[in-house]
Amino acid sequence: MKQLHTDIAIIGAGLTGLTTAFWLTRAGKKIQIIERQDRAGGQIRTFQENGFVYESGPNTGVVSYPEVAELFAALSPDCTLETAREESKKRWIWKGNKFHALPSGLVSAVTTPLFTLYDKFRILGEPFRAKGTNPDESVAELAARRLGKSFVDYAVDPFLSGVYAGNPHTLVTRHALPKLYNLEQDYGSFIKGSIAKAKLPKTERDKLATKKVFSAVGGLERLAEAMVKAIGKEQITLSANDVKIQPQGNQWLITYRTPEGEQSLIANKVVTTCGAYVLPDLLPFIPKEDIGQISNLHYAPIIQASVGFHNTRGLKFGAFGGLVPSKEKKDVLGILFPSACFVGRSPEEGALFSFFIGGVRHADMLDWSDEKLKDMILKNIHSMLKFPEDAQPDLIKIHRHQKAIPQYEKSSEARFKMIDALQARYPGLILAGNIKGGIGMADRIRQATGIANELSK
């Protein structure tokens, strides 16, 4: 059995693992990544075909933390941050038989058909409502209490379908949307909190964080490729199966199997970045009742279909995309418009769309055949995107993700506490990834950067 030694072992070569490894490598630490798949990047994957550049995993992130901008700056010129065009700030919401723009100002807020007149007037009283006292209040309950039911139905529900593919009635606000929760808890109101936060002084580093949507020039896989190059391929073991971690004195023994045979690695510290469902087999020394409080994390299944047209026949899609409230009983969660956001994602006269299907409410759709999915997509191309009946897409690619997006529900509190307890019980073991700390790309980059900073001390 071949045995290696390293300072820090990282399990998983997704965004969290690669970012952690990149910064540790920059700090002079000896690292080794162990990855089950035959490629690095995790869910991030970009394809180029027939004039289209499309993603099979995440399409975008938000530059919500300085760590995002700093990572791209450090990877230059091998990877370049690309922020979405100005026109893609618009968000569309489906109601009735067409998309409507989500209000972006006072006039559109008053005139929009998305919300009831009663709830529009109710907004005026939002700053004066008492803050909530239930720490496990769902996002739907919080929004209904402060904004009104129509805001839940036609703003919160589709937003959470787009971010979590989840149910606003089961997602707990302080875990799923901690920034929103803290606005109410710290300032007593969304409106008062937003105004107060906007007035806070910002350092130059703070200013790196924006609300801009981002990708990488050429697609998000360029980000993973640039980090692999910086880390060094020799520091990454791919196609590793049956990975097991065991404490060995004050070090860690990682065993695994590759096409070359049985392997082992001795590390001073180990960072796991994989999904919760992997952890019981990965960490067999942890009692079942303890690891069970982490591995019970619920994941939303997702189908993403990339659909491209070489020519839209003059149809315009000047928005980030369109989201679909569950109340509207459609077969899709939403449709993003990547070619409206970023340069070069489709031919000049064409367009690229990303259909999102399934989620926690329609998990059964993952069992649909490709043909059934394609028929449904074609119907929605005509009915929702308003393409003529004779228009046929030049590209349809279907990507299935059985465990796509973790759901931060009531079980999250016990999960977070158990993660902290296990890390205290087993010094040198760090449990990371989307099991805690947020699900977005910016959350993953921020978490990984913080871990690397701690381990570099």
Side-chain angles (χ1 to χ4, degrees):
M1 180 187 288
K2 181 181 177 184
Q3 188 169 81
L4 301 172
H5 290 76
T6 192
D7 291 334
I8 301 157
I10 297 166
I11 312 302
L15 181 57
T16 310
L18 288 176
T19 305
T20 304
F22 169 72
W23 287 118
L24 286 171
T25 302
R26 291 263 295 215
K29 294 292 184 180
K30 186 179 179 184
I31 66 100
Q32 190 71 30
I33 300 177
I34 308 297
E35 167 57 45
R36 178 179 56 84
Q37 295 188 65
D38 61 1
R39 55 176 290 277
Q43 296 277 16
I44 296 173
R45 191 159 195 179
T46 306
F47 295 87
Q48 296 186 30
E49 183 179 341
N50 201 14
F52 301 98
V53 177
Y54 61 93
E55 311 280 358
S56 66
N59 276 249
T60 62
V62 179
V63 190
S64 48
Y65 301 113
E67 288 86 348
V68 176
E70 289 166 345
L71 177 62
F72 276 93
L75 290 168
S76 179
D78 293 315
C79 179
T80 304
L81 179 72
E82 182 177 17
T83 54
R85 293 178 174 125
E86 192 68 21
E87 67 186 36
S88 67
K89 282 185 175 180
K90 296 176 185 174
R91 302 292 195 273
W92 293 352
I93 304 293
W94 184 267
K95 186 175 186 180
N97 60 359
K98 68 175 185 177
F99 283 115
H100 302 268
L102 194 65
S104 58
L106 181 60
V107 174
S108 58
V110 171
T111 58
T112 182
L114 294 174
F115 312 125
T116 65
L117 182 62
Y118 175 77
D119 284 345
K120 289 175 186 177
F121 277 110
R122 239 177 134 258
I123 287 290
L124 298 173
E126 193 276 334
F128 308 104
R129 292 194 180 95
K131 65 182 179 182
T133 57
N134 176 12
D136 289 327
E137 188 173 35
S138 72
V139 180
E141 290 168 335
L142 172 63
R145 178 169 54 77
R146 298 209 69 84
L147 304 173
K149 189 175 183 304
S150 65
F151 281 88
V152 174
D153 291 340
Y154 287 97
V156 174
D157 176 281
F159 170 74
L160 288 176
S161 288
V163 174
Y164 276 93
N167 185 340
H169 296 277
T170 59
L171 291 165
V172 173
T173 311
R174 69 187 172 110
H175 303 313
L177 298 175
K179 289 184 178 180
L180 185 69
Y181 177 79
N182 290 334
L183 277 182
E184 186 190 34
Q185 293 301 307
D186 295 344
Y187 299 96
S189 157
F190 300 157
I191 294 173
K192 288 194 293 187
S194 298
I195 293 170
K197 287 184 74 68
K199 292 178 178 178
L200 291 174
K202 291 185 178 181
T203 65
E204 288 304 309
R205 183 169 187 266
D206 290 337
K207 292 176 184 177
L208 294 175
T210 67
K211 295 180 180 179
K212 291 183 178 179
V213 169
F214 78 85
S215 179
V217 172
L220 284 169
E221 195 165 349
R222 304 295 86 78
L223 174 60
E225 290 171 347
M227 286 195 281
V228 168
K229 178 181 176 182
I231 294 162
K233 289 185 178 180
E234 67 280 2
Q235 308 306 126
I236 304 173
T237 299
L238 301 175
S239 301
N241 292 299
D242 299 326
V243 183
K244 307 283 184 191
I245 299 171
Q246 293 281 2
Q248 190 173 78
N250 61 356
Q251 292 181 307
W252 295 90
L253 171 65
I254 301 100
T255 57
Y256 51 96
R257 182 169 44 82
T258 70
E260 288 73 46
E262 300 293 327
Q263 314 286 340
S264 69
L265 174 67
I266 296 289
N268 297 324
K269 295 178 180 176
V270 61
V271 181
T272 73
T273 67
C274 32
Y277 46 90
V278 174
L279 295 178
D281 289 335
L282 182 67
L283 305 167
F285 62 93
I286 296 178
K288 287 184 179 180
E289 60 270 20
D290 290 345
I291 202 68
Q293 293 191 51
I294 301 174
S295 62
N296 64 1
L297 176 58
H298 178 206
Y299 285 76
I302 286 289
I303 297 167
Q304 181 181 175
S306 300
V307 180
F309 284 83
H310 284 154
N311 193 312
T312 64
R313 305 191 193 186
L315 291 173
K316 300 296 182 184
F317 301 93
F320 177 74
L323 297 173
V324 183
S326 59
K327 191 172 185 177
E328 291 293 319
K329 308 294 183 186
K330 303 292 286 184
D331 288 326
V332 299
L333 300 172
I335 309 169
L336 301 189
F337 309 153
S339 55
C341 297
F342 305 113
V343 176
R345 300 302 169 101
S346 71
E348 193 169 336
E349 299 299 319
L352 175 68
F353 307 98
S354 287
F355 281 68
F356 287 86
I357 302 159
V360 297
R361 285 168 160 160
H362 301 286
D364 60 297
M365 296 180 77
L366 259 77
D367 296 326
W368 286 19
S369 69
D370 282 3
E371 288 308 308
K372 186 175 181 180
L373 287 168
K374 286 178 181 178
D375 287 344
M376 180 270 286
I377 289 165
L378 285 172
K379 288 176 183 175
N380 284 304
I381 284 169
H382 303 311
S383 65
M384 298 183 74
L385 298 180
K386 309 304 182 185
F387 276 87
E389 286 298 319
D390 65 334
Q392 293 292 315
D394 299 288
L395 174 89
I396 296 186
K397 294 291 179 179
I398 293 172
H399 318 282
R400 299 169 190 264
H401 304 281
Q402 188 67 46
K403 295 182 183 295
I405 306 175
Q407 303 296 294
Y408 284 16
E409 300 171 333
K410 280 189 178 182
S411 62
S412 296
E413 180 74 12
R415 183 172 72 256
F416 299 154
K417 286 181 177 178
M418 182 53 66
I419 289 169
D420 290 342
L422 291 175
Q423 291 179 154
R425 190 188 309 170
Y426 303 104
L429 174 66
I430 298 169
L431 303 176
N434 60 26
I435 59 175
K436 65 173 184 178
I439 65 164
M441 293 186 68
D443 297 313
R444 302 293 84 245
I445 292 170
R446 185 193 195 201
Q447 182 195 71
T449 305
I451 291 169
N453 288 340
E454 283 297 311
L455 294 178
S456 298
K457 291 178 179 177

